[in-house]
Amino acid sequence: MALFLLLVLSSLIFPSSFAYWPPSPGYWPSSKFSSMSFYKGFRNLWGPQHQRDEQNVLTIWLDSSSGSGFKSVKPFRSGYFGASIKLQPGYTAGVITAFYLSNNEAHPGRHDEVDIEFLGRTFGKPYTLQTNVYIRGSGDGKIIGREMKFHLWFDPTKDFHHYAILRGPKELIFLVDDVPIRRYPRKSAATFPLRPMWVYGSIWDASSWATEDGKYKADYRYQPFVARYTDFKACGCTAYAPAWCRPVSVSPFRSGGLSRQQYWAMRWVQSHHLVYDYCRDQKRDHFLTPECY
């Protein structure tokens, strides 16, 4: 009887929705890095007529004539890169909203890239957040992606949420609202991006693959497709910084990595919200992705 009363009381104090919310990571790295206005650290890259900065919120949109993209002024060797993003509700199939690191303009045909991408959805389906890593041309020509995909534990169209990438000399860490969702360790120089990269954001038509492998296309009856960015953060060692510039961390440890509590929160997300892991895909040739072993 006592156990029954305890369960009833718990259900009243902790609604069932809390069962689907990640445990606290115990550390909030976004609060450790200063925010900047868009024009302090970024510039339009393409589609200037589809970009607007008002009241410290950058709005970019895609319609049948163009999308839009932006790029950081400086390249970075390492650092913390984040933005708070709000996505468009409704039908957005075929549309990609992205925040990522890349050096594709400096190394065309053999570039590195670290992605956070929101894959557009059909009515009634959730957005898919895709994280990806390309190394020295694995994103050029014959694509060798290192995708991990998630369905979020909240509706990303209702409010702004903070998405971030930590790029260190030994690891890449992807975070959502300060909760680590993926850690990609450096196991060898061949499977880790080492060259400086810029920070990018964009919205564009990727109908050939974005939604259910291209089954659903962008439908411009629902245009414009809009994404909003604010609370930009880009803190770390630029490509021009002295060699002694110390890489930043997203954990309580200055040396990097994750705390036990952060690791537990990450494992919870991967247990409950991970929908694809390239290392578990038996159709993939893992000789091309040796870090999976």
Side-chain angles (χ1 to χ4, degrees), residues 181-207:
I181 63 170
R182 177 182 183 181
R183 180 175 180 267
Y184 181 90
R186 176 179 175 175
K187 294 187 176 181
S188 73
T191 61
F192 197 81
L194 299 172
R195 298 173 295 184
M197 290 188 276
W198 286 258
V199 188
Y200 291 81
S202 62
I203 188 167
W204 55 290
D205 187 332
S207 290

Side-chain angles (χ1 to χ4, degrees), residues 50 59-64 66-68 87-97 121 127 203-205 217-228:
H50 288 66
T59 301
I60 59 176
W61 63 92
L62 166 72
D63 60 26
S64 57
S66 179
S68 188
L87 303 178
Q88 176 160 313
Y91 185 99
T92 55
V95 178
I96 295 289
T97 302
R121 64 181 185 177
Y127 269 96
I203 188 167
W204 55 290
D205 187 332
K217 315 294 184 184
D219 187 338
Y220 288 98
R221 292 179 297 174
Y222 302 106
Q223 68 177 10
F225 302 104
V226 177
R228 293 178 173 87

Side-chain angles (χ1 to χ4, degrees), residues 88-250:
Q88 176 160 313
Y91 185 99
T92 55
V95 178
I96 295 289
T97 302
F99 184 77
Y100 62 105
L101 313 179
S102 180
N103 51 31
N104 64 307
E105 293 173 279
H107 305 284
R110 194 165 172 77
H111 81 286
D112 307 294
E113 189 168 313
V114 181
D115 295 332
I116 290 177
E117 297 174 307
F118 299 94
L119 311 186
R121 64 181 185 177
T122 57
F123 290 117
K125 297 290 184 69
Y127 269 96
T128 298
L129 185 154
Q130 174 170 277
T131 64
N132 205 351
V133 181
Y134 293 120
I135 299 134
R136 284 184 295 283
S138 66
D140 303 290
K142 183 180 180 181
I143 304 297
I144 305 171
R146 292 169 165 84
E147 306 94 337
M148 289 181 71
K149 301 178 184 181
F150 302 83
H151 286 163
L152 295 165
W153 50 94
F154 53 84
D155 183 346
T157 72
K158 296 294 187 182
D159 206 348
F160 285 94
H161 292 267
H162 198 73
Y163 306 90
I165 300 168
L166 181 281
R167 183 193 180 190
K170 298 184 293 185
E171 62 190 352
L172 303 169
I173 298 175
F174 301 81
L175 303 103
V176 175
D177 289 339
D178 289 322
V179 177
I181 63 170
R182 177 182 183 181
R183 180 175 180 267
Y184 181 90
R186 176 179 175 175
K187 294 187 176 181
S188 73
T191 61
F192 197 81
L194 299 172
R195 298 173 295 184
M197 290 188 276
W198 286 258
V199 188
Y200 291 81
S202 62
I203 188 167
W204 55 290
D205 187 332
S207 290
S208 63
W209 64 271
T211 306
E212 297 188 31
D213 295 323
K215 180 179 179 180
Y216 297 99
K217 315 294 184 184
D219 187 338
Y220 288 98
R221 292 179 297 174
Y222 302 106
Q223 68 177 10
F225 302 104
V226 177
R228 293 178 173 87
Y229 297 71
T230 190
D231 194 20
F232 290 95
K233 298 175 187 285
C235 306
C237 299
T238 71
Y240 319 116
W244 47 259
C245 181
R246 189 184 185 111
V248 300
S249 170
V250 292

